[in-house]
């Protein structure tokens, strides 16, 4: 496998709105990020992926872009952006921009011009269809944010498509002028010295609307190959596609190097296991065996070609420690356990802001506390359809996107040190206990543990390129695997439960075990009967 700089890199995702507010308006901004570069460099991360900071009316917090080549004033200026790229570069950190090109904002000048008349040269930048003879929408396609995906445009008497909110009209990727515009814009950013792109809901751009196909449409891969050639192809950048519908087979189409598409994709199979019948508003309990099975499948299927991205959470998902660990009594230990399991897999790990200090779900009790358009829309859709208020509030507490969007908890100062003003969304009251200042001051904090894992990846080729072998596959509470490269063997063992477990790894009896990193124990005598305490995790070198 040809080695790439992003193979042993760790990416840190920033949700700018909630990261650090430099001017007291309650909204995180670029200068706030600049002020925390030492904190990020200290963690050892190589890349920062910024959720969108472009000009936007913020219907979906920036995933609705009205100008790709301008910064939203609330986040700062283009000079601030350039300074961030430059200052990060001095610390060997690259900036990955979020590329949202399945749709724009309805306030983008392209859409505004498209709305002027059916003859506008921009009309065909978007997807328009006539009403059915009875005046109803062209199809019963639904928006991912709830309700119809079609919005009637009275002045020009047609419907336009929006797979997300009606303020996010879909671009028409059947129009090659759209390709040219997007490619030009991407090259403009590449010239600014960025490290790559995270491609938002990219599996939707090949859609065939009249056949009702949205994800993984027939034009998807040719479009990505064209984009690759016209933009980042020969630039050695990191590109990661958000692909909810990817199977390992599909992931290989995107990420096999000879296909010249993307570096890697985010797949969501392990995430949707806790959604009953694929509905995130019906949260289900984690079944560790299926979870292991899915992750193992991805490790094995992409072992020779393609590349995995590794993540437990992001700005759309609940907090990992609340979802898969224990955010009460065992918060610290289970956060470290989850980190161990993720960071020793093969692929590029992503840390979502606050994960490195074990931030937890928001636990909002009132609908008024929520800000997210998806949560608010679905509260209405579901309660209109008969789901009770209480049930929906529980679903939001479990899986709502605002769980990940409460402000980063920096210190014990008011508002967790995030802002001197009033934050746009409430700070989690547990900031007095959970904050970065405290973690930086302690030797065995979650932050220090993440730092150790990031550096372990740099020191051990087996973590980056080693063969992956699942162990104890039938175990209901323990996740264990071996990474093997040349003479080096690393054994990763993790207890996902609050019970003690004795496990037998005596098949490795001929080796001497040395603990490289652990959230609980210092020494190991042998592997015959390893006693695991609640949420114990360890990386064991076998020599
Ligand atoms: C992606 C983003 C999400 C956004 C949606 C529409 O899923 O991660 O935050 O709402 O795309 O752009
Ligand atoms: Ca601000």
């Amino acid at each position: 496998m040809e080695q790439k700089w992003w193979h042993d890199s760790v990416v840190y995702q920033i949700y700018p709105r909630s990261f650090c507010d430099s001017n007291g308006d309650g909204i995180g901004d670029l200068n706030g990020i600049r002020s925390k570069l030492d904190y990020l460099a200290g963690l050892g991360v190589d890349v920062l992926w910024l959720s969108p900071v472009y000009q936007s009316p913020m219907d979906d917090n920036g995933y609705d872009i009205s100008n790709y080549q301008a910064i939203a004033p609330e986040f700062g200026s283009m000079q601030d952006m350039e300074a961030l790229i430059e200052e990060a570069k001095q610390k060997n950190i690259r900036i990955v921009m979020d590329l949202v090109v399945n749709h724009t904002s309805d306030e983008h000048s392209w859409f505004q011009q498209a709305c002027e008349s059916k003859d506008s040269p921009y009309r065909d930048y978007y997807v328009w269809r006539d009403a059915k003879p009875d005046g109803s929408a062209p199809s019963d396609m639904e928006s991912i944010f709830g309700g119809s995906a079609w919005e009637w445009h009275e002045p020009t008497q047609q419907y336009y498509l929006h797979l997300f909110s009606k303020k996010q009209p879909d671009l028409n990727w059947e129009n090659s002028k759209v390709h040219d515009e997007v490619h030009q814009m991407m090259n403009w950013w590449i010239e600014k010295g960025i490290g790559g792109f995270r491609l938002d809901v990219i599996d939707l751009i090949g859609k065939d609307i009249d056949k009702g196909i949205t994800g993984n449409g027939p034009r998807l891969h040719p479009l990505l190959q064209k984009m690759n050639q016209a933009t980042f192809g020969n630039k050695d950048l990191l590109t990661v596609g958000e692909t909810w519908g990817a199977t390992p087979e599909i992931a290989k189409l995107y990420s096999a190097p000879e296909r010249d598409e993307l570096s890697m994709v985010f797949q969501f199979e392990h995430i949707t296991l806790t959604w009953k019948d694929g509905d995130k508003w019906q949260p289900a309990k984690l079944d560790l065996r299926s979870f292991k099975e899915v992750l193992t499948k991805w490790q094995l299927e992409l072992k020779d070609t393609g590349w995995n991205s590794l993540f437990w959470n992001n700005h759309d998902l609940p907090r990992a420690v609340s979802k898969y660990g224990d955010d009460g009594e065992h918060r610290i230990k289970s956060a470290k356990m989850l980190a161990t399991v993720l960071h020793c897999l093969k692929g590029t790990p992503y840390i979502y802001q606050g994960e490195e200090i074990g931030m937890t779900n928001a636990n909002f009790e009132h609908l008024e506390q929520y800000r997210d358009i998806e949560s608010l829309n679905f509260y209405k859709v579901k309660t209109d359809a008969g789901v009770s208020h209480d049930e929906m509030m529980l679903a939001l507490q479990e899986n709502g996107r605002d769980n990940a969007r409460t402000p980063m908890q920096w210190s014990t100062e008011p508002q967790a040190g995030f802002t001197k003003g009033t934050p746009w969304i409430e700070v989690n009251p547990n900031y007095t206990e959970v904050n970065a200042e405290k973690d930086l001051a302690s030797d065995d904090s979650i932050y220090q543990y993440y730092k150790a894992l990031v550096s372990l990846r740099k020191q051990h080729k087996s973590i980056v390129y080693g063969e992956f072998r699942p162990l104890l596959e039938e175990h209901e509470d323990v996740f264990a695997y071996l990474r093997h490269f040349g003479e080096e063997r690393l054994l990763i063992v993790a207890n996902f439960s609050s019970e003690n477990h004795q496990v037998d790894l005596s098949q490795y009896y001929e080796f001497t075990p040395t603990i490289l990193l652990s959230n609980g124990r210092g020494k190991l005598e042998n592997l015959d009967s390893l006693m695991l305490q609640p949420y114990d995790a360890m990386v064991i070198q076998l020599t």
Side-chain angles (χ1 to χ4, degrees), residues 279-282 377-388 392:
D279 177 1
K280 82 191 262 187
W281 307 116
Q282 292 189 59
N377 281 2
F378 270 100
Y379 176 84
K380 191 164 179 332
V381 169
K382 290 284 186 180
T383 50
D384 284 353
V387 175
S388 74
M392 198 50 203

Side-chain angles (χ1 to χ4, degrees), residues 21-29 74:
D21 174 21
S22 70
N23 62 353
D25 67 355
I27 299 172
D29 46 55
E74 59 207 287

Side-chain angles (χ1 to χ4, degrees), residues 403-444:
N403 282 312
R405 299 179 181 183
T406 62
M408 176 72 185
Q409 293 163 206
W410 293 106
S411 68
T412 53
E413 281 171 45
Q415 309 297 0
F418 162 73
T419 179
K420 297 246 181 288
T422 308
W424 69 278
I425 187 170
E426 280 175 40
V427 170
N428 191 316
N430 69 8
Y431 74 87
T432 50
E433 184 56 31
V434 182
N435 64 71
E437 187 180 57
K438 185 171 165 191
D439 266 37
L440 285 171
S442 146
D443 280 345
D444 58 71

